[in-house]
Amino acid sequence: MVKISKWAVAILVWGFLFRLSIATFLQPGYDETYYYLYTLYPNWSYFDHPPLVSLVTGFGIWLTGGEVSQLTIRLGTVILYTGTLFLFYLTSARLFTTKVATLSLAIVTTIPFFQIGFGILTLPDSPLIFFWTASLCVAAHEFFPSDREQLSENHQTPYKPTFRLAILGLLVGLACMGKYHGFLLGFGLIIFCTLSPRHRSVWRSNWTLGSIGLFLLAISPLLIWNYQYDWVSFRFQSARAIPNSGYRVGDLLVTFLVGVGYMFPTFGFPLWWVSLRTSFQLFQAGKFRIHQLELEPIQQKQLLILSIAVPVFLTFTLMGGYRQILPSWHMPGFFTATLLLGQQMSLVQAQHPIRIRNWLWGSGMAIFLILTLALLHVTDGLVQKGGDRSILGGFWAAKDDPSTQLVDIQQLRRGVASSDLLNTAIKQSSFIFSNNFFLAGQVAMALAPLEHKPITAFDRDLRGFAFWESAIPWLGKDALYVTSEQFQEPLSKYDGYFQSITKLADVPIMRGGEVVQIFQIYRCSNLLKTYPRPYGIS
């Protein structure tokens, strides 16, 4: 049984409290408000993502009896990521030592994107990375069932597949139910079992059949939903990987540097270095053969990590040369590679303990300061020009600041609730719509406690709205149209769809004493015809 160090417990507690604090005060992002809508329409799966993000997002809402806020939609993520970090610690301790595990835990807890993208924001990445790490943990126990790193390769006992192989298939399937990246996890495990001669016996084991069966069982809701809708999710996601322009080396460099920046340079560059260096060492002359890879036990463990990590972060980084990628796409690979970084830094620590201490603590303090200042700016306009809480009068005009797109949901809710005109209009409307799918999510969160009305988007990019409800029952009904000044489109977009459209009110969103965004609300009378849908339920 792995002994958990006091430092590891302290890191887990600190990380939880820090993420909980940010989750409480940071306004919800576009994707988060959209995933809140998932909780309103429970289903086997969804157009753009598998279903687990709905359960994670809804956890805090259900726990608090229906309260809708940035904290409640993120509470599941904050708790789940603590479990992810604990499993990460167990995995590192199994593959290496508890000393390495503690250092690796400190690193992975400090890297800013991991904290925010996996541990604070409610995104599909949260359940993905939990079951991804659980799979790594089970794989470490399955493929390295005892402390054989002290033995030479000539004295290793043969590997015999066990029931854990079946559990591994189930966990990989659940990772796929978090995000489609889970299929890359399974691909990485196949690479490892194919390259490592000692572990090729999995292909002759009945437990492998059990693993495949449990994998298919786990993803069956995803398959059932897609079968019903002509495999639309798979077609949507695969189309995003197809090049739509020529390859641009400059964009590749930008993708590389942006990824390093999200992880913080003192971690991003070392992660690339240790991954490529270890890969080169494993395949250097004398180690690699076409049909056999002769590795010592510690190198087999490195091969497991690299087989899962490198295909993910290398593929998506290279993809950045022909299309813009989201930063979350390649991060599961870097998250896995952090196991190697922790091992390498523990070796350096043995020779230069002060150097590693300064590197880790210095990076951590810098990241803490940056994240704190960023949070204060987003919530109070710390560097906003003219803001009453800005430093030295501010440096950044609100109209040029993309952080103003994060909407204070409670403030929008209060603005609507304080207007008798708007309250009456909501009650008299049969449904609410916006001109953008993520704006509809913000509106839904704001209005949730006030009035339960169906909400949709009238736009070409409908995402899940195209499958949640048919528009036909709304024919002849009145609606409330809510948009924002930043994303407003000409009302002519809806010419011929309603008998009349009348503006009711503007609801300003304040930050630092200044208006940073305005929501505009219209009454739309008598829907004359359904708004066209390029896909989904007609």
Side-chain angles (χ1 to χ4, degrees):
M1 185 175 179
V2 176
K3 181 181 179 181
I4 303 175
S5 69
K6 294 181 180 179
W7 274 107
V9 174
I11 292 168
L12 289 172
V13 172
W14 155 252
F16 173 78
L17 294 176
F18 181 65
R19 294 191 305 277
L20 186 66
S21 299
I22 295 179
T24 301
F25 296 104
L26 180 67
Q27 289 93 347
Y30 289 153
D31 287 349
E32 294 183 286
T33 59
Y34 173 59
Y35 299 136
Y36 161 71
L37 292 167
Y38 279 25
T39 69
L40 303 181
Y41 302 96
N43 211 327
W44 290 109
S45 190
Y46 299 92
F47 170 70
D48 32 12
H49 288 294
L52 287 187
V53 65
S54 173
L55 300 180
V56 175
T57 304
F59 173 79
I61 299 173
W62 302 324
L63 188 67
T64 57
E67 179 184 347
V68 179
S69 68
Q70 57 259 38
L71 175 60
T72 58
I73 67 171
R74 292 170 176 157
L75 189 59
T77 293
V78 174
I79 295 173
L80 197 62
Y81 190 62
T82 303
T84 298
L85 292 177
F86 178 67
L87 291 171
F88 183 89
Y89 175 86
L90 296 180
T91 304
S92 181
R94 184 69 178 190
L95 293 175
F96 305 114
T97 65
T98 54
K99 182 179 179 181
V100 172
T102 302
L103 181 57
S104 299
L105 179 63
I107 295 171
V108 82
T109 304
T110 306
I111 292 177
F113 185 89
F114 297 168
Q115 292 190 68
I116 298 171
F118 296 152
I120 295 175
L121 306 181
T122 179
L123 300 171
D125 304 87
S126 175
L128 166 74
I129 208 64
F130 176 81
F131 288 110
W132 185 292
T133 310
S135 300
L136 284 173
C137 188
V138 171
H141 283 75
E142 168 65 16
F143 299 130
F144 307 101
S146 63
D147 296 331
R148 296 194 179 98
E149 58 265 27
Q150 302 298 326
L151 303 176
S152 69
E153 62 182 28
N154 294 328
H155 292 87
Q156 289 186 80
T157 57
Y159 161 69
K160 295 181 180 180
T162 71
F163 70 94
R164 295 188 187 91
L165 203 61
I167 296 175
L168 188 56
L170 175 64
L171 292 173
V172 171
L174 290 173
C176 294
M177 292 291 283
K179 196 173 181 179
Y180 289 104
H181 279 60
F183 290 101
L184 296 177
L185 169 63
F187 178 68
L189 291 168
I190 291 173
I191 292 176
F192 169 73
C193 292
T194 302
L195 288 179
S196 177
R198 183 170 179 266
H199 298 95
R200 289 175 189 161
S201 57
V202 299
W203 306 124
R204 303 185 299 273
S205 172
N206 290 332
W207 288 115
T208 301
L209 297 177
S211 180
I212 295 173
L214 288 177
F215 169 78
L216 293 174
L217 178 64
I219 67 170
S220 59
L222 179 65
L223 298 177
I224 291 171
W225 189 90
N226 273 276
Y227 174 76
Q228 292 173 338
Y229 295 106
D230 196 25
W231 308 102
V232 64
S233 293
F234 292 100
R235 290 189 286 109
F236 171 73
Q237 295 293 352
S238 60
R240 303 172 83 179
I242 298 174
N244 53 12
S245 61
Y247 203 85
R248 299 174 296 274
V249 177
D251 289 351
L252 171 63
L253 179 61
V254 170
T255 300
F256 167 77
L257 293 176
V258 168
V260 168
Y262 275 114
M263 292 183 288
F264 204 69
T266 56
F267 295 117
F269 286 117
L271 274 169
W272 273 100
W273 170 77
V274 73
S275 300
L276 297 180
R277 177 176 178 270
T278 307
S279 298
F280 177 76
Q281 289 175 338
L282 292 183
F283 292 95
Q284 66 182 339
K287 293 295 183 185
F288 180 75
R289 289 166 172 76
I290 298 298
H291 300 294
Q292 186 173 1
L293 188 63
E294 298 177 357
L295 298 174
E296 298 176 359
I298 192 68
Q299 293 172 320
Q300 292 176 6
K301 296 173 181 180
Q302 292 171 338
L303 177 63
L304 172 64
I305 297 168
L306 290 171
S307 297
I308 295 171
V310 174
V312 178
F313 72 70
L314 190 59
T315 297
F316 286 112
T317 300
L318 293 175
M319 188 185 296
Y322 63 81
R323 67 154 297 145
Q324 184 178 5
I325 70 167
L326 296 177
S328 61
W329 288 4
H330 49 4
M331 287 303 167
F334 290 116
F335 184 89
T336 307
T338 308
L339 291 165
L340 288 178
L341 183 61
Q343 185 221 4
Q344 182 62 40
M345 291 308 174
S346 70
L347 298 176
V348 178
Q349 187 180 46
Q351 300 294 325
H352 308 283
I354 295 179
R355 183 181 300 177
I356 296 300
R357 183 194 65 189
N358 292 342
W359 165 70
L360 192 55
W361 279 96
S363 299
M365 293 302 295
I367 292 168
F368 175 79
L369 179 62
I370 291 171
L371 291 181
T372 301
L373 292 176
L375 178 62
L376 289 173
H377 174 65
V378 170
T379 57
D380 298 316
L382 193 65
V383 296
Q384 175 182 306
K385 280 186 178 180
D388 57 16
R389 298 183 183 179
S390 60
I391 299 175
L392 301 176
F395 313 97
W396 203 350
K399 64 182 180 64
D400 301 321
D401 184 358
S403 72
T404 59
Q405 297 173 12
L406 299 177
V407 175
D408 187 338
I409 297 301
Q410 284 81 7
Q411 192 176 154
L412 177 58
R413 183 182 300 161
R414 290 192 298 269
V416 173
S418 62
S419 169
D420 292 337
L421 174 65
L422 293 179
N423 277 282
T424 301
I426 294 175
K427 288 180 171 61
Q428 293 176 346
S429 299
S430 298
F431 67 99
I432 302 169
F433 74 96
S434 187
N435 59 314
N436 187 288
F437 71 91
F438 59 75
L439 279 179
Q442 293 176 336
V443 173
M445 282 193 66
L447 302 185
L450 303 181
E451 189 77 26
H452 292 287
K453 295 287 185 179
I455 189 161
T456 188
F458 284 178
D459 192 28
R460 293 291 298 173
D461 187 3
L462 292 178
R463 302 295 171 106
F465 287 111
F467 301 89
W468 289 333
E469 288 185 271
S470 169
I472 294 177
W474 295 329
L475 285 172
K477 305 294 185 180
D478 296 339
L480 209 64
Y481 170 43
V482 185
T483 185
S484 72
E485 191 177 51
Q486 289 182 341
F487 299 97
Q488 184 183 24
E489 297 179 278
L491 285 177
S492 58
K493 177 178 181 178
Y494 302 119
D495 281 352
Y497 289 97
F498 291 94
Q499 184 173 330
S500 65
I501 299 179
T502 307
K503 187 170 184 178
L504 294 179
D506 288 334
V507 179
I509 303 298
M510 310 290 292
R511 188 180 74 178
E514 282 200 333
V515 176
V516 295
Q517 190 168 171
I518 297 175
F519 276 80
Q520 301 169 332
I521 304 178
Y522 299 80
R523 177 188 286 115
C524 302
S525 301
N526 187 15
L527 180 64
L528 302 174
K529 58 182 179 180
T530 59
Y531 196 82
R533 294 183 172 187
Y535 49 81
I537 303 173
S538 60

